[in-house]
């Protein structure tokens, strides 16, 4: 086994671990978006809150975008993962380099998406926490 092959196999293992992490994070996002959408569509908010409808509507629209983007990313992950198998048969450095560059680009895109989702989730929870209806029994 040559040094290039060892480096390449290590790189492929790291790529595979990234892909597994992305898939896991997407499953968490899917679960969290279901909960957030249920929260945004519930009647637990104080109806007297100024601009309540507009804020909830904006959050709902942002969640639709997150859902759509999440589906697109999931599709791209599956494609990227299937191409990983072809990397084992790749026998040129340019082939390896292209795949690694695509992976790094995809990694940056996913990280950006995940960061934006966490920011939105935090905004929604902070807003919701401040205006939830106080149940008095």
């Amino acid at each position: 086994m040559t040094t290039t092959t060892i480096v390449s196999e290590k790189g492929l293992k790291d790529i595979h671990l990234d892909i597994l992490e992305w898939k896991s994070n997407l499953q968490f996002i899917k679960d969290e978006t279901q909960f957030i959408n249920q929260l945004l569509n519930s009647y637990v908010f104080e109806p007297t809150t100024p601009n309540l409808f507009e804020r909830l509507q904006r959050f709902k629209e942002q969640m639709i975008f997150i859902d759509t983007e999440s589906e697109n990313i999931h599709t791209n992950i599956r494609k990227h993962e299937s191409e990983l198998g072809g990397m084992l048969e790749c026998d040129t450095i340019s082939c390896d380099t292209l795949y690694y560059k695509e992976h790094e680009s995809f990694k940056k895109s996913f990280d950006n998406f995940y960061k934006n989702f966490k920011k939105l989730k935090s905004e929604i929870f902070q807003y919701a926490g401040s205006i939830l209806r106080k149940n008095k029994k």
Side-chain angles (χ1 to χ4, degrees):
M1 196 175 283
T2 67
T3 305
T4 307
T5 305
I6 294 169
V7 171
S8 186
E9 285 179 7
K10 181 186 182 316
L12 293 178
K13 182 179 177 187
D14 291 341
I15 287 173
H16 184 66
L17 291 174
D18 284 345
I19 291 170
L20 292 176
E21 181 180 352
W22 296 336
K23 289 165 77 174
S24 175
N25 286 338
L26 279 176
Q27 185 58 51
F28 280 118
I29 289 170
K30 182 178 178 180
D31 294 342
E32 289 176 324
T33 57
Q34 284 179 326
F35 172 78
I36 292 169
N37 285 326
Q38 288 173 345
L39 175 66
L40 293 174
N41 289 302
S42 70
Y43 296 100
V44 298
F45 295 101
E46 284 288 348
T48 58
T49 305
N51 301 321
L52 174 67
F53 176 78
E54 291 82 5
R55 286 291 298 269
L56 290 178
Q57 196 60 34
R58 185 175 67 82
F59 285 142
K60 288 176 186 179
E61 289 169 3
Q62 288 174 304
M63 290 304 297
I64 289 170
F65 176 78
I66 291 292
D67 285 338
T68 302
E69 193 65 17
S70 179
E71 286 300 317
N72 290 338
I73 288 172
H74 188 258
T75 299
N76 289 335
I77 286 173
R78 284 195 315 258
K79 181 178 180 260
H80 189 61
E81 187 175 33
S82 71
E83 291 170 351
L84 182 61
M87 283 297 296
L88 294 172
E89 299 167 10
C90 208
D91 57 357
T92 65
I93 292 176
S94 63
C95 181
D96 283 349
T97 304
L98 178 63
Y99 189 81
Y100 289 126
K101 283 183 180 180
E102 286 177 3
H103 181 77
E104 285 304 310
S105 175
F106 194 80
K107 184 174 187 162
K108 286 178 188 174
S109 295
F110 183 86
D111 289 346
N112 190 44
F113 166 76
Y114 197 47
K115 180 181 76 169
N116 289 335
F117 170 71
K118 290 190 296 187
K119 182 179 179 225
L120 175 61
K121 181 175 68 168
S122 177
E123 288 175 20
I124 291 171
F125 287 170
Q126 285 177 355
Y127 182 72
S130 69
I131 62 166
L132 286 176
R133 187 176 297 180
K134 314 279 187 288
N135 290 330
K136 297 178 184 174
K137 293 187 179 185

